[in-house]
Amino acid sequence: MTELLTPTAFHTTGPFFPPDFLRPGDNDLTWLTDPSRRAQGEALVITGRITEQGGAPRTNAVVELWQADAGGRFAHPLDPAHEEADPDFAGWGRTATDGDGQFHFVTVRPGAFRDPMTGEMRAPHLNLQILSSGLMRRLVTAIWFPDDPANGSDPVLSAVPSDRRGLLLATAAPESNLGPAGAACYRVDIALQGVAETPFFED
């Protein structure tokens, strides 16, 4: 006879992060083991803000970013070119929003790559994950760069309804002192709810 189990209630994600969950430099993808050795490629500063419905800031949300290196490679065995990946590029970073919902990363402009699972070319993009108290699950989205000619053929961006694609494009921002001098700056604003809610991808 099969035992009937009582289902447990849903719980939100957090807050259950240890004190050292975020460390200084976790939001800088341009180095891996030695800060004096920097990743190849064009340096970027990515700033952004996470908001609730009505524009209220989402404070103390954990934001994670992962991406290809400047050559479009991932240091992961599933990437056929992983042995050629930049050894000084972290490929992944983590930060938290401040009291105004702001966050930032220092990284390099990712390269385009061929998806090893589908064989289709992917336009340069950033992958973002958001974890926060009150969310029932992690939120995952991707951000593309404005005016990149490869955007039009990217299969994931093309799957988003045309009237929502603009919500997944970064915007050029003024130069910032948050990264190396001369780094190109982009802004990525994430809305968790409302008319301009950011499109999120299901697991």
Side-chain angles (χ1 to χ4, degrees), residues 161-176:
S162 58
D163 63 336
R164 308 282 292 169
R165 290 175 198 159
L167 299 171
L168 296 177
L169 296 180
T171 57
E175 186 172 342
S176 167

Side-chain angles (χ1 to χ4, degrees), residues 81-158:
H82 71 274
E83 293 184 355
E84 302 170 26
D86 186 345
D88 297 314
F89 181 61
W92 173 89
R94 173 188 285 159
T95 190
T97 57
D98 63 16
D100 192 38
Q102 305 276 354
F103 65 91
H104 82 275
F105 290 94
V106 179
T107 186
V108 298
R109 186 181 298 275
F113 62 92
R114 188 173 300 280
D115 189 324
M117 304 297 289
T118 66
E120 295 183 274
M121 287 300 298
R122 297 297 313 280
H125 65 278
L126 310 171
N127 300 292
L128 293 176
Q129 172 175 274
I130 300 165
L131 303 168
S132 182
S133 174
L135 296 179
M136 301 302 292
R137 62 181 177 86
R138 67 179 189 146
L139 299 178
V140 178
T141 190
I143 301 296
W144 285 261
F145 295 91
D147 302 323
D148 191 303
N151 288 348
S153 58
D154 185 276
V156 176
L157 184 58
S158 297

